[in-house]
């Protein structure tokens, strides 16, 4: 097939070189590649097409692709989509990111920085720009670390409130309080994330051992393209692990097994139709409980605004770290790096170990 090609440049030689380059690209991949004169919006479109291919191939999750696409569409392109790649200096990138911080939020600014950095990295690999300007922008502040954890007495109080939630009846059926309680007990006993918890199947638990064990081997994901489905791997594949169940978690698993269908692949937290429960539906159920019991929770020292399924994982990490050290806590949570556990999950105790008194008295004397 013949293609008529033309190019405009400052000189005839440059125009001829451009036509040659385009012909070579057309004869191979068909994509002419990015140029410094292309806009950020052009680069985003080309980069997202590549990311989508990787998602289809299983190299990354569709939820990651959709997160990138949403950040690009809602935050990045409206702010700088018309800027050419060649005009993306370090200073301009910094101003784009700082504007997102000022006008939106720290979270939005962090997403803009991450995606803009990936897009510029793609442009560097395509020889459109010589270096990635996002690498040298100023650091954004770290998000404030959450420090709320549940004490045993608070866990008991929350469980009591859940058991009696809308017990007296009213309009419509009673909410699925049992799923809230069982999910809480399993997450507190295993450090599982909410998606990993509601993605458990009959074949993932072994109640014949002493103590019983549970395999974290999948999670529930939800995307616009694929809907709600169980992914046969945790959030990270390397986080696959088998965990011994403490008493309260084992009791919750037994209750879920009694309600589950008979097949090995039967979910422990299915919907009424037997399909996977979505994370958003579980969290919506939890928010409804918090709205109805706000005053009672505050009375036992629990702030409803800080309460989410993430508080269970943070509570487990803190309790295990204080009792047995950061290594075991990190292993339980499935982290590859103990610094992740300490920085994001473990809440440092206010009281320093009184052992320091004996050490200092022995060394310094008095």
């Amino acid at each position: 097939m013949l293609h008529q090609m033309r190019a405009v440049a400052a000189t005839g030689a440059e125009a001829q070189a451009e036509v040659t380059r385009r012909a070579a690209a057309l004869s191979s991949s068909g994509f002419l590649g990015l140029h410094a004169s292309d806009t950020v919006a052009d680069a985003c479109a080309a980069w997202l097409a590549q990311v989508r291919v990787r998602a289809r191939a299983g190299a990354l999750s569709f939820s990651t692709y959709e997160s990138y696409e949403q950040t690009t569409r809602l935050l990045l392109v409206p702010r700088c989509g018309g800027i050419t790649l060649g005009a993306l200096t370090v200073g301009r990138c910094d101003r784009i990111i700082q504007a997102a911080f000022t006008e939106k939020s720290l979270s939005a600014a962090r997403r803009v920085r991450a995606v803009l950095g990936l897009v510029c990295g793609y442009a560097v690999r395509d020889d459109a720009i010589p270096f990635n300007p996002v690498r040298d922008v100023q650091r954004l502040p770290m998000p404030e670390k959450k420090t709320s954890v549940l004490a045993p007495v608070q866990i008991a109080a929350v469980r009591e409130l859940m058991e009696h939630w809308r017990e007296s009846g009213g309009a419509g059926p009673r909410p699925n309080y049992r799923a809230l309680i069982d999910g809480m007990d399993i997450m507190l006993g295993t450090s599982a994330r909410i998606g990993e918890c509601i993605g458990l199947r009959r074949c993932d638990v072994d109640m014949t051992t002493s103590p019983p064990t549970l395999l974290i081997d999948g999670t529930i994901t939800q995307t616009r393209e694929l809907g709600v489905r169980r992914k046969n791997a945790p959030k990270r594949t390397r986080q696959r692990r088998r965990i011994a169940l403490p008493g309260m978690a084992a009791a919750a698993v037994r209750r879920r097994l009694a309600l589950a269908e008979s097949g090995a692949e039967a979910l422990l937290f299915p919907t009424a139709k037997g399909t996977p429960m979505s994370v958003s539906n579980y969290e919506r159920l939890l928010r409804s409980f918090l709205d109805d019991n706000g005053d009672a929770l505050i009375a036992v020292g629990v702030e409803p605004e800080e309460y989410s399924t993430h508080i269970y994982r943070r509570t487990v990490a803190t309790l295990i770290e204080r009792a047995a050290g950061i290594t075991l806590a990190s292993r339980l949570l499935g982290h590859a790096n103990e610094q992740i556990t300490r920085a994001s999950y473990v809440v440092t105790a206010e009281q320093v170990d009184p052992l320091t008194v004996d050490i200092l008295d022995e060394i310094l004397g008095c």
Side-chain angles (χ1 to χ4, degrees), residues 64-104:
T64 299
Y65 162 73
E66 289 187 357
S67 174
Y68 289 159
E69 189 277 332
Q70 185 180 52
T71 298
T72 299
R73 174 168 45 85
L74 298 181
L75 296 173
L76 191 57
V77 171
R79 280 176 165 73
C80 59
I83 299 174
T84 61
L85 294 173
L88 276 180
T89 62
V90 174
R92 175 164 278 178
C93 288
D94 190 67
R95 288 190 290 275
I96 292 167
I97 295 166
Q98 293 302 319
F101 182 24
T102 303
E103 298 167 9
K104 290 289 186 178

Side-chain angles (χ1 to χ4, degrees), residues 151-175:
V153 65
Q154 293 173 323
I155 294 171
V158 171
R159 187 181 294 107
E160 180 76 12
L161 289 171
M162 287 179 176
E163 287 178 348
H164 298 290
W165 180 34
R166 297 186 187 174
E167 191 175 41
S168 58
R174 188 181 181 194

Side-chain angles (χ1 to χ4, degrees), residues 29-357:
S29 66
F31 175 55
L32 301 181
L34 292 173
H35 293 80
S37 59
D38 289 326
T39 65
V40 171
D42 295 331
C44 286
W47 171 71
L48 281 172
Q50 186 186 69
V51 173
R52 183 180 177 81
V53 170
R54 293 178 60 204
R56 284 193 170 280
L60 53 81
S61 68
F62 258 96
S63 59
T64 299
Y65 162 73
E66 289 187 357
S67 174
Y68 289 159
E69 189 277 332
Q70 185 180 52
T71 298
T72 299
R73 174 168 45 85
L74 298 181
L75 296 173
L76 191 57
V77 171
R79 280 176 165 73
C80 59
I83 299 174
T84 61
L85 294 173
L88 276 180
T89 62
V90 174
R92 175 164 278 178
C93 288
D94 190 67
R95 288 190 290 275
I96 292 167
I97 295 166
Q98 293 302 319
F101 182 24
T102 303
E103 298 167 9
K104 290 289 186 178
S105 65
L106 174 59
S107 174
R110 292 172 69 86
R111 295 200 302 275
V112 166
R113 175 174 177 158
V115 172
L116 183 58
L118 291 170
V119 171
C120 287
Y122 176 75
V124 170
R125 293 191 298 276
D126 217 28
D127 296 323
I129 53 177
F131 69 97
N132 189 336
V134 180
R135 290 182 178 178
D136 293 323
V137 301
Q138 63 179 313
R139 289 180 177 271
L140 288 166
M142 292 296 292
E144 185 177 351
K145 181 178 177 179
K146 293 184 178 180
T147 58
S148 54
V149 295
L150 296 174
V153 65
Q154 293 173 323
I155 294 171
V158 171
R159 187 181 294 107
E160 180 76 12
L161 289 171
M162 287 179 176
E163 287 178 348
H164 298 290
W165 180 34
R166 297 186 187 174
E167 191 175 41
S168 58
R174 188 181 181 194
N176 191 358
Y177 72 98
R178 191 76 260 169
L180 282 185
I181 298 173
D182 293 342
M184 177 179 71
D185 287 350
I186 292 172
M187 283 184 270
L188 283 171
T190 63
S191 79
R193 298 176 178 87
I194 175 57
E196 296 166 344
C197 176
I198 62 178
L200 290 170
R201 302 164 300 177
R202 184 179 287 276
C203 60
D204 294 326
V205 297
D206 186 351
M207 307 305 289
T208 65
T209 61
S210 183
T213 62
L214 177 152
L215 180 65
I216 302 293
D217 191 31
T219 189
I220 299 298
T221 63
Q222 182 173 7
T223 61
R224 291 192 302 273
E225 184 155 336
L226 302 177
V228 180
R229 57 189 286 268
R230 185 185 188 277
K231 185 181 78 168
N232 294 322
K235 182 178 180 181
R236 302 282 185 273
T237 303
R238 65 174 182 270
Q239 295 177 347
R240 184 178 186 270
R241 60 205 186 278
R242 184 170 289 277
I243 300 171
L245 295 175
M248 69 175 185
V253 169
R254 290 190 183 95
R255 287 193 296 267
R256 302 316 299 181
L257 287 171
L259 297 171
E261 296 180 1
S262 58
E265 299 288 325
L267 293 162
L268 300 193
F269 289 86
T271 64
K273 297 180 179 179
T275 57
M277 175 188 289
S278 69
V279 171
S280 59
N281 279 348
Y282 189 97
E283 291 179 338
R284 189 179 300 114
L285 181 66
L286 180 58
R287 285 195 299 272
S288 181
F289 163 77
L290 296 173
D291 290 342
D292 286 352
N293 295 274
D295 292 340
L297 290 168
I298 292 172
V300 296
V302 176
E303 290 294 333
E305 294 80 9
E306 298 181 6
Y307 198 108
S308 69
T309 57
H310 200 71
I311 199 173
Y312 303 143
R313 192 165 160 86
R314 189 162 57 246
T315 296
V316 174
T318 301
L319 294 176
I320 296 298
E321 188 274 339
R322 291 178 184 176
I326 190 66
T327 299
L328 184 58
S330 182
R331 180 74 185 97
L332 180 63
L333 270 66
H335 290 155
N337 189 331
E338 294 175 4
Q339 279 300 109
I340 298 173
T341 313
R342 188 176 297 282
S344 301
Y345 290 92
V346 172
V347 177
T348 305
E350 182 181 274
Q351 176 66 46
V352 178
D353 194 325
L355 181 62
T356 56
V357 172

